[in-house]
Amino acid sequence: EHAPWALLDFGLRCIIAPSFADIFSNNCFQNGLLPVALPEGDVKAIIAKAQNVPSYKVFVDLKEQHVYDENGGIDLHFEIEPFRRHCLLNGLDDIGLTLEHEEKIAVFEQHRSVHGGVLTKR
């Protein structure tokens, strides 16, 4: 996970490329970094514009799954698994996902402690 950590430490929240290795992509999602895969020609067009126009900006809208620029030269849709999108939009990691079920977990733990289970209520 060191690569996504380094990118996050550098201030990046999204990476756009033609493809990503599975392990890198998974590590990005686990750490709140959005990897956006776009066709190679579109990635090259974004790079060319960024190199030729110093103030060029590309915007990534995760909610709408949309990559675009200010002048309409780039206007692209990208795919993301609904679960991954939900986690990123809500800032959820594995612990956060577990805590979404905190009430059910508390009821389960209480039931187990009352019925002689291994877990006890503290």
Side-chain angles (χ1 to χ4, degrees):
E1 294 186 20
H2 289 83
W5 291 345
L7 294 168
L8 287 165
D9 286 346
F10 194 66
L12 298 176
R13 301 291 295 152
C14 177
I15 303 169
I16 298 173
S19 65
F20 299 94
D22 287 341
I23 193 164
F24 177 77
S25 179
N26 287 330
N27 286 339
C28 284
F29 283 117
Q30 284 293 105
N31 288 282
L33 183 65
L34 173 62
V36 174
L38 294 175
E40 187 173 352
D42 293 326
V43 173
K44 286 182 178 182
I46 291 170
I47 292 169
K49 288 181 182 200
Q51 289 174 332
N52 293 322
V53 181
S55 62
Y56 182 72
K57 294 180 184 176
V58 174
F59 302 92
V60 178
D61 182 339
L62 174 57
K63 187 175 180 182
E64 299 297 325
Q65 296 175 224
H66 187 219
V67 175
Y68 59 97
D69 63 11
E70 292 175 314
N71 62 12
I74 300 292
D75 187 8
L76 305 164
H77 177 79
F78 65 91
E79 293 296 324
I80 182 173
E81 296 171 18
F83 173 75
R84 301 275 199 192
R85 182 174 168 267
H86 168 79
C87 290
L88 287 173
L89 286 172
N90 294 288
L92 298 171
D93 59 7
D94 289 343
I95 294 170
L97 285 167
T98 301
L99 290 176
E100 283 190 319
H101 305 283
E102 191 171 12
E103 287 182 25
K104 291 178 183 178
I105 293 167
V107 168
F108 173 79
E109 288 178 349
Q110 184 174 3
H111 176 77
R112 286 187 48 98
S113 67
V114 169
H115 292 88
V118 179
L119 298 175
T120 59
K121 186 175 179 182
R122 296 181 193 236

